[in-house]
Amino acid sequence: MTNTVRALRMVAVGLLLGAAATAAQAADDTYVALVPGGPHPYFAAWEQAGQDAAKEFGLEGADYRVPPKWELSQQNQLLESLLTQGYNGFLVFPGDPVGGNGVVSELVEQGAPVIATAGCLKQPTDASFCLGTDTGNSAYLGTQELIKRMGGKGKIAHFTGFLVDPNTQLRIDAVNKAAEEAGDDVEVVQVIADIDAPEPAEEKINAYLAAHGDEVDGIVTTAWIPAVVSANALRKIGDKRIKMVGIDHDEVVLQAIKDGFVDGTMLQNPYGQGYIGTFAIDRLRSGCTVKEDAPFASTALTDQFIDSGTAFVDASGVDNYVGAMQAVTKEIMSDFEDKYLTCE
């Protein structure tokens, strides 16, 4: 059993007692598909989360289904196929924040509720709401942590995700905002985007550090693969002068924090997204409706946003990162239905 799987099981056990009281009210024919925009390690936690939620809330099933490529057309085809196979509720990471709305409307028209998960659809949309990381806030807080460790001055390189990802521009803007607020002694000198895959990340990050490593004082990464590649690159060249704040909980990044090559990471909560989202889909299919006065937050894409939580961990807290994820998920679940849904 890998550390990641073991961690997810621990989160599930922690949520079990709270789920028991709700299971009897579930729709036993709810069959949820959890569908990312394409293959990516970030979403792997959705598989266990869906299975755990289905078991604990008494659903027919909840399955993780992945398009073969990061192409909107392939995601659309998969969603349409899953609907014909009997899935009647969907958690969807939009392959495109605008273009993804068409197929979502088709699913909802067929009676299958949709929650935009880990990334939002641009309103107007037929998705019930968006459940995900406040990516802008996470990138902003992570950059602030980086600047602290740089002593409040220096040059920053920012490595980030796919340009089709609706979160990427939000992260770029947030990193720039944190740097600008720090004053004239802090500057973002390089942004490299569209590298959330091993080959382009290895090629562009290693080339940049080979040519300009002596010219930067800090690295902030706001996507999974760039964080892993950057952590490996700093370890390979033995550089602890350059400060780095990463994202997510890949074991490479966590070990680099323990060994002093990375200063910390911004945790997201993919397990919580899958677990809470699957629960919410079932409640919507059981007759609940979204509250008109629900305390949603707003982003650049939607005014119906629920933050699935984020937390910064450094060497002092890296061994308990699972506890941080568990605490965030339990807190959201504790009053989720009361805050966001109206149920008869």
Side-chain angles (χ1 to χ4, degrees):
M1 182 183 293
T2 66
N3 290 340
T4 299
V5 172
R6 187 180 297 110
L8 298 179
R9 294 279 169 78
M10 292 170 65
V11 173
V13 169
L15 296 170
L16 183 58
L17 293 178
T22 311
Q25 304 169 9
D28 59 8
D29 62 344
T30 296
Y31 197 13
V32 180
L34 300 88
V35 183
H40 193 280
Y42 174 83
F43 300 102
W46 283 11
E47 182 169 17
Q48 187 69 49
Q51 293 172 0
D52 290 342
K55 179 179 180 181
E56 293 160 18
F57 299 117
L59 314 188
E60 182 172 338
D63 297 327
Y64 178 58
R65 294 289 183 262
V66 185
K69 292 182 179 180
W70 278 85
E71 293 180 2
L72 181 61
S73 60
Q74 298 211 16
Q75 185 185 43
N76 288 347
Q77 291 172 9
L78 176 60
L79 289 167
E80 291 168 345
S81 173
L82 292 171
L83 182 68
T84 65
Q85 295 172 36
Y87 290 90
N88 51 31
F90 294 86
L91 304 185
V92 178
F93 177 91
D96 182 280
V98 176
N101 270 317
V103 72
V104 166
S105 294
E106 292 177 21
L107 299 174
V108 174
E109 287 171 1
Q110 296 300 315
V114 176
I115 296 173
T117 310
C120 299
L121 287 156
K122 186 174 178 59
Q123 290 179 314
T125 176
D126 287 321
S128 296
F129 51 82
C130 178
L131 173 65
T133 307
D134 185 343
T135 51
N137 187 51
S138 174
Y140 178 78
L141 296 176
T143 306
Q144 287 188 319
E145 293 290 346
L146 174 65
I147 293 170
K148 288 180 188 175
R149 283 154 177 80
M150 291 166 50
K153 60 181 180 181
K155 297 179 179 179
I156 296 173
H158 177 199
F159 305 141
T160 189
F162 292 128
L163 292 173
V164 297
D165 182 341
N167 296 312
T168 297
Q169 189 58 51
L170 300 176
R171 287 165 162 153
I172 292 173
D173 293 344
V175 169
N176 291 340
K177 178 183 176 183
E180 290 169 4
E181 290 179 355
D184 295 338
D185 290 336
V186 176
E187 180 183 6
V188 178
V189 295
Q190 183 68 54
V191 179
I192 301 179
D194 227 14
I195 56 170
D196 201 12
E199 185 174 348
E202 292 277 358
E203 176 185 346
K204 294 188 177 180
I205 290 174
N206 287 328
Y208 179 78
L209 290 177
H212 303 286
D214 293 341
E215 302 168 11
V216 297
D217 305 290
I219 294 172
V220 60
T221 59
T222 55
W224 186 300
I225 300 298
V228 172
V229 171
S230 297
N232 276 332
L234 292 179
R235 180 187 294 277
K236 185 176 181 180
I237 61 178
D239 193 319
K240 295 186 178 180
R241 181 193 67 82
I242 299 175
K243 305 302 180 184
M244 175 180 158
V245 171
I247 190 170
D248 295 319
H249 55 280
D250 190 282
E251 291 178 17
V252 168
V253 174
L254 300 180
Q255 189 60 51
I257 294 173
K258 295 177 183 177
D259 295 341
F261 293 103
V262 173
D263 293 81
T265 188
M266 296 302 300
L267 293 176
Q268 300 187 83
N269 191 13
Y271 181 90
Q273 292 165 1
Y275 184 91
I276 297 166
T278 300
F279 162 76
I281 285 289
D282 180 65
R283 301 307 291 138
L284 292 170
R285 292 199 67 257
S286 300
C288 299
T289 57
V290 178
K291 278 187 176 177
E292 293 184 2
D293 59 349
F296 290 116
S298 294
T299 72
L301 296 174
T302 179
D303 60 8
Q304 289 185 304
F305 177 76
I306 300 173
D307 187 1
S308 58
T310 189
F312 175 77
V313 294
D314 59 13
S316 66
V318 68
D319 286 330
N320 191 38
Y321 82 95
V322 173
M325 294 170 61
Q326 186 177 23
V328 168
T329 302
K330 290 179 69 175
E331 181 180 355
I332 296 171
M333 281 295 293
S334 66
D335 60 356
F336 185 91
E337 186 168 310
D338 289 340
K339 287 177 67 175
Y340 298 107
L341 302 177
T342 298
C343 302
E344 296 296 334

